[in-house]
Amino acid sequence: MKRHELHLITTGKQELHEVKAIAVQCSTQHIDALHLREKQRGAGELTAWYAELHTLLPGTAIYINDRLDAALAVQAPGVQLGFRSLSVPQARRILAPSQRIGCSVHSEDEAVAAAQAGADFVMFGHIFATASKPGTPPRGIAALAEVVQACPVPVIAIGGIEPHNVDTVLSTGCSGVAVLSAILLHPDPASQLARFHEALERTQHSPRRGYQ
């Protein structure tokens, strides 16, 4: 069975020392990708975050969201593009062939277009109601399943995902889940991460598409 990926995304609400303390607690458990999603920080700060966290989590791929200059400076293994970022083709012209490009999408059409443009994976959400999107209806499991079926690259689900609903999310054939506050703002992040791992390992569902 192909393994699902777990992506952890910084919240933009914590300082580096707080995230480092959590990383130390969680260093014995595997996180496939840690996304530095700190929109309020400049490239210099992001490269400092990368250096510190890369040392603490040597087995984790650390992606930088939006800021390709910072990603290039530290030779990050990947980036995550959002609505206001450079386009996927523009990013691909700048980045090394080995650097993975993820793209945040909110519909089936956007997912297919991102894949056709050269994205290595897409992140689709939000799946369930979440405090980070107050008043915005969740897109739901059915929409996620449609995106997974249509998109020719791996799909990572995000938004309101907790250990108890991981199996439902994975039943769509998506390639993994992404979480923010469910781990980083949890009173016991290490135990919560362990619960996510248990849910990912317990599932009988296989991802529809794996990573190259």
Side-chain angles (χ1 to χ4, degrees), residues 117-138:
D120 296 294
F121 66 95
V122 299
M123 191 171 289
F124 175 77
H126 57 293
I127 309 304
F128 302 110
T130 172
S132 65
K133 302 285 186 179
T136 304

Side-chain angles (χ1 to χ4, degrees), residues 3-7 80 100-108 110-112 114-115 119-125 127 140-141 143-158 161 169-170 172-178 206-211:
R3 191 173 62 81
H4 297 90
E5 286 201 348
L6 175 63
H7 292 227
Q80 181 73 21
R100 290 171 71 187
I101 296 177
C103 188
S104 298
V105 299
H106 302 95
S107 70
E108 179 182 325
E110 287 183 10
V112 172
D120 296 294
F121 66 95
V122 299
M123 191 171 289
F124 175 77
I127 309 304
I141 291 296
L144 173 61
E146 291 173 357
V147 169
V148 170
Q149 290 296 317
C151 188
V153 298
V155 177
I156 301 295
I158 187 171
I161 299 173
V169 173
L170 300 183
T172 64
C174 70
S175 297
V177 299
S206 294
R208 179 175 172 81
R209 301 188 187 280
Y211 292 87

Side-chain angles (χ1 to χ4, degrees), residues 73-207:
V74 298
Q75 298 183 334
V79 299
Q80 181 73 21
L81 304 178
F83 177 73
R84 293 180 176 84
S85 304
L86 293 177
S87 68
V88 174
Q90 288 171 327
R92 180 48 71 203
R93 286 195 291 271
I94 295 169
L95 298 173
S98 61
Q99 290 177 295
R100 290 171 71 187
I101 296 177
C103 188
S104 298
V105 299
H106 302 95
S107 70
E108 179 182 325
D109 288 345
E110 287 183 10
V112 172
Q116 291 175 341
D120 296 294
F121 66 95
V122 299
M123 191 171 289
F124 175 77
H126 57 293
I127 309 304
F128 302 110
T130 172
S132 65
K133 302 285 186 179
T136 304
R139 291 177 171 84
I141 291 296
L144 173 61
E146 291 173 357
V147 169
V148 170
Q149 290 296 317
C151 188
V153 298
V155 177
I156 301 295
I158 187 171
I161 299 173
E162 299 282 351
H164 69 84
N165 58 34
V166 163
D167 193 63
T168 300
V169 173
L170 300 183
S171 71
T172 64
C174 70
S175 297
V177 299
V179 295
L180 294 83
S181 57
I183 290 176
L184 287 175
L185 296 181
H186 193 275
D188 188 350
S191 295
Q192 182 74 338
L193 177 58
R195 294 184 191 100
F196 272 99
H197 273 299
E198 181 182 356
L200 288 165
E201 293 172 1
R202 188 174 58 239
T203 187
Q204 296 300 306
H205 306 292
S206 294

